[in-house]
Amino acid sequence: MNKLRLFLVLIATIAASIAHAQVSSVTVSGLVKGKVDKAAMPYVNIVVKNEKDSAFVAGTVTDEEGRFSIAGIKPGNYRLDISFMGFEHREQPLFVGTLSAFLDIPVIELEEAATVLEAVTISANASDVSSKLDKKTYSVADNISQSGGSVLQSMQNLPGVTVQDGKVQLRGNDKVTVLIDGKQTALTGFGSQTGLDNIPSSAIDKIEIINNPSSKYDANGNAGIINIIMKKNKQNGFSGKLGFTYGTGSLWVRKENLPTIRPQYTFTPKINPSVSLNYRKDKINIFLQADNLYTQTLNKNEFVTRNYDDGTVINSQLKRNRNTNFLTTKAGIDWNINAQNTLTVSGMYGSEKIIDRGDQPFFNGDLSQRLRLWQFLEDELKTTAMATAAYQHKFKDAGHLLNIGFNYTFHRENEQYFYDNYLPASTGTDAFKLLSDEQVYDLNIDYIKPLKYGRIETGIKLRNRSIPVNMDFRPGANSVLDMNAGGWANYKELIPALYGNYVFENQKWEAELGVRVEYVNIQYDVNPNHSTYKSDGYNYTQPFPNMRLAYKLNDNNKLSVFYNRRVDRPNEVDIRIFPKYDDAEIIKVGNPALRPQFTNSIELGYKNVWNNGYFYSALYHRFAEGTITRISSTIPGNTLIYAIFQNAGKSYNTGIEAILNQKISNVYSFNLNGNLYRNQINAFTVQNLYPEPNTFSAEQQTAISGNLKLNNIFHFAKGMDAQVTAVYLAPDIIPQGKIMSRFSIDMGLKKSVQKGRGELYVNATDLLNTMVIKRKIVGMGFNYTSNDYYETQVIRLGYSYKF
C-alpha cells in the first residue's frame, strides 16, 4: 500500500514537471529587397528591440547582397525595426524560440515611402536539459568524483543512468545505442554497446543522454541514445592540454578465495596519460587527441551456489585478474574552404589489449571436496581504425545546410583462450583462437531548411556491414570442447534508410513530427558442419515514426508529450554460434534464429525553470514485442547450464523520472535524480537448440524498482571544488530471477593552480566498499545465487595543464 501511495504521489508530481535545456543565444538573419525591382538592398539598418519597452537589444546593417545577421539574441518576444533613407520605415513582431538553431522568415521587401518586412533566421546553443525535454547534456569535467577513469565509470553518476554487468541502462533498460560524435563505431558497438569500460574519460568533452530520439537518428536503441562527444579545441593559434592520472584499486580482499587458487589482485594500478593538441589559423584547424589507459583490475570475483532438484549442491568462484591497455587517438583537419563550404577529414585508432588470468574452483555443498578446478588465460587484442570525411555546404540564408558524410570502420577481434581443467583423477588442456574482422561503410546525406516557425530535416543513410568470424578449437588431453560447434560464420548487413522531420514553434506551441523508413537485410551464413545451427537471416521494411507536442505554460514552464517506435536488432555476438568457455559450467551461446525486438514508447514530461535551478520530471511507458533476453537451461543428466539468447515475447517498462537541480549558494549546489519504474516480462515458452533441443517455460515476472542519486557540488575559495555522490539502486528483475539492491558513495576534490592553467584532483569511488552484485536465478530443475565482489573501490590522483 505504501508503494502504491508513493507511486501515485510521484505521478502527481510528474504531472507538474518535464525538462529541456533552454537555448541561450540566437542569431537572427535575413534578406532585404526592394519591393518594386526585387533588387537586393545593401546598408539597410536592422534593429532588434524588446517588445515590452522598445529597448534596444542589437543591431546591424545589410551587406552588399542585402543580407544581415545579428548574433546573441536570447529567446523571447521582440520587434524588428527596418529603416533606410528614402524608404518607408517598418516594424514587425519577432518571436525567438528555443527549438531550432535557425528560423527563416520570408524576404523583407521595402518600398519607397513604405516598407514591408519578411525574412529572418535564428541559431542557438542548448544547456543541461534541452528545451525539447528530449536530451540531457553533461560535462565530463564536472564529474570530479570519476575523473581519470573510464567513460563507463563517468556515466555511473549521471542522472537517469545505471551501470549493470558492464552495460549502461537508461530507466532500467540496457537497450541503449552508444554514439561517438554522433556516429556509431566499433569502439562502442553498432546497435549495441561495447568497450565503454576501456575508453578513457580524459578523451571526452561531454555526454548527451537522448531519451526520445527523432527520426534523424538510427531506429535502434529502444531505451535511448548516449552520445559521447570527444574533445576538440577551437582556440586560434597553437593550444593544448596535457594530463596524467594515477590510481589504485582493490585495496584489500573483500571475500577470501575458495581453497587452492591463485591470489586475487590487490593494490591494482591505473595509469592514464593524455594529450590534446590543436592548431588553428586562417581557414585551417588541425587537431590531435591521444589517451592511454593502463589498468590492472579484479574484473570479476563471483561466488555462486547452485542447487539442483535432485539435491546436488555445487559451490564455485569465478575470479578474473585482468590487465588492460587501451590506446585511443583521434586526429584530423577542418578546412573552411570559404564562407559557404567546410570539409573535415579525421581518423581514429584504438588498440585494446586484454590479458585475463582466471581461476574457477568447484566444490561440493560443504566445501569438503574439490570437484574441479578450471584455470584459463585469455589473450585478446582488439584493433579499431576509423576514417571519416564530412562536407558541409551553407546556403546563403543562415541555417540552410547540406551535410554529406562518409565513414569507414575496421574492427579486428583477435582472441585466444588457453584452459587447464583439473579433475580429481585427471588433467585436461584445451585452447581456441577466434578471429573476427568487421568492416562497415556508412554514407549519410542530411538536408536542413529553416522556416519562419521551425525547420524541415530530411536525409538518407546507407550502411553495408560484414563480419566474418572463424573459431578454431584446439583440443588437448581430456578435452571438454565441443569440436562440432566450431568453424566459421559470416554476418552480412545491408540497411538503406530515409527520414523526414518537421519542427514547428510559435509563442505557445511546439511540434515535431517525423518518420524514418528502414529496409534491413540480415544474412548469417554458418559452417554447414556445425552440430546445431544452420544459416539463417531476415529482412523487413518498417516505418519508425516519432512525435512530440509541447505547450509552453509560460516562459519558465513547459509540458511535452512524446511518442516513438524503435527497434533493437540482434547484434552479431548475440547470434554467434560458438560456445564460450570463460565460465566452465555456465556456457554462453548465440542463436541465429534470434529476431528484432520492436518497442513503442510514450512519455509525458514537464520542466520548471527558475533563476537558480530547475525541476524536470517524466512519466514514461514502453511496450516491447519479441523481447531479447538470455535464457539459462540444462539438459537431462548434465549439471552444465547453457545460456542462450531468445525472443521471450512481450515486456513492459513503466516509470517516473525526476531531476531537481538547485543552487543553494555560491558555495553549494546539488542535483537530485530519482527513477521509479515497474518492469514486467510476460509468461513465455521457448526452445533452446544447443547442445540438444530442450523447452523452457517461465511464468510472468514483475518488479517495482528504481534508483536514487544525489550529487553534491561545492565551490570553495581559491579555485577549490568538491563533489560527493551517493547512488542507491533498488532490487530489480532480470531474466529468470532478481538482482538485489546496491549502494555506493563517490567523492572527488579538484583545485585550480598556475593561474587557472593547471588543475589537481583526487577522488575515490565506492568509498565505503559497499557495491556487491547479488543475484538469484531460477531455472527448470535448478536455481542459483551469486555474489560478485569485483573491484569497485578506486582512489585516483591526477594533474592537467592547459596551454
Side-chain angles (χ1 to χ4, degrees):
M1 187 65 186
N2 289 336
K3 286 184 178 178
L4 178 60
R5 193 171 297 160
L6 175 61
F7 190 76
L8 293 174
V9 169
L10 284 175
I11 287 179
T13 303
I14 296 295
S17 290
I18 301 180
H20 279 282
Q22 300 272 335
V23 167
S24 60
S25 66
V26 169
T27 299
V28 178
S29 61
L31 174 64
V32 180
K33 291 184 177 181
K35 186 173 183 179
V36 176
D37 59 8
K38 309 299 180 184
M41 295 186 60
Y43 314 118
V44 176
N45 293 305
I46 310 292
V47 176
V48 177
K49 297 179 180 179
N50 193 298
E51 184 183 54
K52 293 181 179 179
D53 56 10
S54 296
F56 175 84
V57 175
T60 187
V61 296
T62 58
D63 62 17
E64 293 183 355
E65 295 184 345
R67 298 184 180 277
F68 66 90
S69 179
I70 305 176
I73 307 299
K74 295 181 179 180
N77 294 298
Y78 301 94
R79 303 291 298 178
L80 196 62
D81 187 295
I82 306 97
S83 60
F84 189 69
M85 185 178 297
F87 285 75
E88 185 177 334
H89 173 265
R90 294 287 300 187
E91 274 195 2
Q92 176 174 312
L94 172 64
F95 168 69
V96 176
T98 60
L99 291 189
S100 297
F102 304 93
L103 303 176
D104 195 11
I105 295 173
V107 173
I108 302 167
E109 294 185 341
L110 299 183
E111 59 181 343
E112 295 184 12
T115 24
V116 177
L117 172 95
E118 291 178 45
V120 175
T121 308
I122 302 172
S123 95
N125 300 320
S127 63
D128 213 27
V129 181
S130 91
S131 58
K132 297 191 298 178
L133 307 188
D134 65 337
K135 179 170 66 177
K136 311 176 195 73
T137 304
Y138 301 99
S139 169
V140 172
D142 293 337
N143 195 359
I144 307 171
S145 62
Q146 290 285 358
S147 295
S150 68
V151 171
L152 185 69
Q153 292 162 343
S154 290
M155 291 182 183
Q156 291 181 128
N157 292 344
L158 298 185
V161 176
T162 56
V163 175
Q164 184 171 299
D165 294 331
K167 283 193 168 185
V168 175
Q169 294 185 342
L170 294 177
R171 298 171 173 175
N173 190 321
D174 67 359
K175 296 297 187 287
V176 178
T177 296
V178 180
L179 310 178
I180 292 182
D181 291 333
K183 304 178 183 68
Q184 290 183 341
T185 77
L187 284 177
T188 54
F190 287 88
S192 64
Q193 46 173 305
T194 59
L196 292 175
D197 203 24
N198 294 316
I199 300 177
S201 62
S202 56
I204 307 305
D205 180 24
K206 293 180 293 187
I207 296 174
E208 294 179 338
I209 298 171
I210 306 170
N211 293 117
N212 295 282
S214 72
S215 62
K216 69 179 180 181
Y217 294 99
D218 288 344
N220 52 291
N222 78 70
I225 291 172
I226 291 179
N227 185 26
I228 298 170
I229 301 173
M230 301 191 75
K231 289 180 178 176
K232 187 176 176 182
N233 205 320
K234 296 183 178 180
Q235 287 181 223
N236 284 326
F238 182 72
S239 60
K241 185 175 183 179
L242 301 174
F244 182 82
T245 302
Y246 179 83
T248 187
S250 295
L251 303 182
W252 57 76
V253 175
R254 302 167 74 186
K255 184 175 176 63
E256 293 292 340
N257 282 341
L258 294 181
T260 69
I261 68 171
R262 294 171 291 189
Q264 302 173 22
Y265 265 174
T266 55
F267 291 95
T268 53
K270 328 286 181 184
I271 303 170
N272 177 210
S274 63
V275 59
S276 176
L277 302 174
N278 197 89
Y279 179 75
R280 178 184 291 270
K281 186 176 181 180
D282 299 329
K283 296 182 177 182
I284 298 295
N285 180 61
I286 302 172
F287 54 91
L288 169 68
Q289 174 76 34
D291 297 79
N292 194 82
L293 179 62
Y294 172 78
T295 65
Q296 291 183 13
T297 310
L298 182 59
N299 176 259
K300 197 173 190 68
N301 193 26
E302 185 176 21
F303 293 78
V304 177
T305 298
R306 278 182 280 150
N307 298 278
Y308 294 84
D309 289 356
D310 64 1
T312 300
V313 178
I314 299 176
N315 288 300
S316 66
Q317 175 191 359
L318 176 56
K319 173 187 66 67
R320 281 204 299 259
N321 290 332
R322 172 169 289 185
N323 289 27
T324 304
N325 193 85
F326 190 91
L327 170 68
T328 177
T329 60
K330 182 179 180 180
I333 182 170
D334 300 319
W335 178 27
N336 296 314
I337 303 170
N338 53 40
Q340 275 73 48
N341 298 282
T342 304
L343 178 65
T344 296
V345 179
S346 64
M348 180 185 292
Y349 173 81
S351 174
E352 180 183 359
K353 178 68 172 178
I354 299 174
I355 299 290
D356 270 349
R357 294 175 176 86
D359 296 81
Q360 192 174 23
F362 297 86
F363 285 82
N364 61 355
D366 61 4
L367 302 179
S368 62
Q369 180 186 4
R370 193 182 81 182
L371 308 174
R372 180 183 186 187
L373 173 61
W374 181 257
Q375 289 187 323
F376 62 86
L377 169 67
E378 177 188 5
D379 184 348
E380 183 175 8
L381 177 63
K382 296 180 181 179
T383 306
T384 304
M386 189 172 75
T388 299
Y391 166 76
Q392 182 179 83
H393 174 71
K394 297 178 181 179
F395 295 88
K396 289 187 176 182
D397 44 330
H400 189 185
L401 302 174
L402 174 67
N403 295 312
I404 302 175
F406 176 77
N407 191 67
Y408 168 76
T409 300
F410 172 81
H411 179 70
R412 167 166 289 182
E413 184 181 347
N414 189 343
E415 182 178 353
Q416 298 182 85
Y417 268 87
F418 303 90
Y419 303 106
D420 291 307
N421 186 28
Y422 298 95
L423 299 170
S426 65
T427 299
T429 60
D430 280 309
F432 77 72
K433 179 180 175 65
L434 182 144
L435 185 64
S436 167
D437 284 343
E438 179 177 12
Q439 296 193 75
V440 187
Y441 300 86
D442 280 333
L443 174 65
N444 295 272
I445 301 176
D446 301 283
Y447 174 79
I448 302 171
K449 170 64 176 173
L451 304 172
K452 181 178 180 180
Y453 295 110
R455 67 183 182 275
I456 56 171
E457 303 169 327
T458 187
I460 60 175
K461 179 175 182 177
L462 177 64
R463 168 172 292 164
N464 192 334
R465 182 177 177 219
S466 65
I467 312 175
V469 181
N470 187 70
M471 171 67 83
D472 181 15
F473 284 132
R474 299 171 180 176
N478 303 308
S479 174
V480 298
L481 299 179
D482 183 356
M483 293 301 299
N484 294 320
W488 59 266
N490 193 3
Y491 175 92
K492 299 175 183 177
E493 174 183 291
L494 177 66
I495 307 178
L498 171 69
Y499 77 89
N501 203 43
Y502 170 66
V503 178
F504 169 83
E505 179 182 22
N506 64 20
Q507 294 183 7
K508 283 294 183 181
W509 290 96
E510 297 172 359
E512 184 171 355
L513 300 171
V515 65
R516 187 180 189 90
V517 179
E518 287 188 345
Y519 169 74
V520 172
N521 189 344
I522 306 295
Q523 180 62 36
Y524 191 61
D525 296 324
V526 171
N527 168 24
N529 297 321
H530 194 278
S531 58
T532 302
Y533 294 121
K534 306 301 178 185
S535 297
D536 210 329
Y538 61 88
N539 64 77
Y540 64 78
T541 301
Q542 293 271 350
F544 297 95
N546 69 279
M547 180 274 291
R548 184 180 73 86
L549 183 65
Y551 180 71
K552 305 171 191 176
L553 302 173
N554 52 44
D555 289 344
N556 298 324
N557 294 272
K558 183 184 291 185
L559 190 69
S560 291
V561 60
F562 298 86
Y563 165 77
N564 64 41
R565 181 174 186 264
R566 300 186 67 77
V567 62
D568 287 283
R569 296 182 294 273
N571 203 29
E572 185 270 333
V573 294
D574 299 339
I575 65 177
R576 189 175 286 181
I577 59 176
F578 314 116
K580 289 191 67 175
Y581 295 94
D582 52 352
D583 187 309
E585 299 197 358
I586 302 178
I587 312 299
K588 298 182 179 68
V589 189
N591 177 10
L594 204 59
R595 292 298 182 258
Q597 167 183 313
F598 294 94
T599 304
N600 290 275
S601 302
I602 56 175
E603 178 176 325
L604 175 68
Y606 168 81
K607 184 179 181 181
N608 174 232
V609 181
W610 54 90
N611 286 339
N612 294 315
Y614 66 84
F615 176 70
Y616 160 82
S617 57
L619 175 65
Y620 56 89
H621 177 66
R622 302 188 190 102
F623 43 102
E625 294 272 0
T627 304
I628 296 175
T629 187
R630 200 185 278 276
I631 301 300
S632 297
S633 62
T634 60
I635 58 176
N638 194 336
T639 60
L640 296 183
I641 295 173
Y642 296 91
I644 301 173
F645 278 110
Q646 294 282 6
N647 293 108
K650 294 183 179 180
S651 63
Y652 305 88
N653 173 235
T654 305
I656 297 168
E657 180 183 22
I659 300 173
L660 174 62
N661 191 300
Q662 178 65 55
K663 178 182 178 181
I664 303 298
S665 68
N666 290 333
V667 174
Y668 174 66
S669 61
F670 71 87
N671 182 293
L672 179 64
N673 168 229
N675 203 342
L676 179 68
Y677 55 85
R678 179 181 183 272
N679 278 339
Q680 175 178 319
I681 302 175
N682 283 3
F684 64 92
T685 298
V686 295
Q687 185 180 53
N688 284 343
L689 296 181
Y690 186 85
E692 59 185 59
N694 62 93
T695 300
F696 176 85
S697 297
E699 299 298 323
Q700 177 178 296
Q701 286 181 273
T702 61
I704 294 178
S705 185
N707 53 74
L708 191 66
K709 295 185 182 182
L710 175 62
N711 269 303
N712 301 277
I713 299 98
F714 302 88
H715 299 289
F716 301 115
K718 299 182 179 179
M720 183 82 74
D721 295 326
Q723 179 185 17
V724 179
T725 302
V727 178
Y728 170 75
L729 307 176
D732 199 0
I733 58 171
I734 54 178
Q736 299 177 251
K738 194 171 189 178
I739 186 169
M740 310 312 291
S741 63
R742 292 142 286 163
F743 173 74
S744 67
I745 293 179
D746 300 338
M747 184 173 169
L749 183 69
K750 71 177 180 181
K751 178 173 173 53
S752 179
V753 296
Q754 297 168 299
K755 298 181 179 180
R757 290 186 173 272
E759 185 176 271
L760 285 167
Y761 60 86
V762 60
N763 57 47
T765 61
D766 195 13
L767 198 62
L768 305 180
N769 225 357
T770 52
M771 182 64 78
V772 179
I773 306 298
K774 300 179 180 181
R775 295 182 179 85
K776 294 182 179 180
I777 302 295
V778 178
M780 297 182 69
F782 73 93
N783 66 78
Y784 72 81
T785 61
S786 72
N787 296 281
D788 192 353
Y789 295 88
Y790 69 110
E791 176 185 302
T792 58
Q793 189 178 69
V794 179
I795 297 174
R796 296 185 183 89
L797 176 66
Y799 168 76
S800 64
Y801 179 77
K802 294 184 292 185
F803 57 89

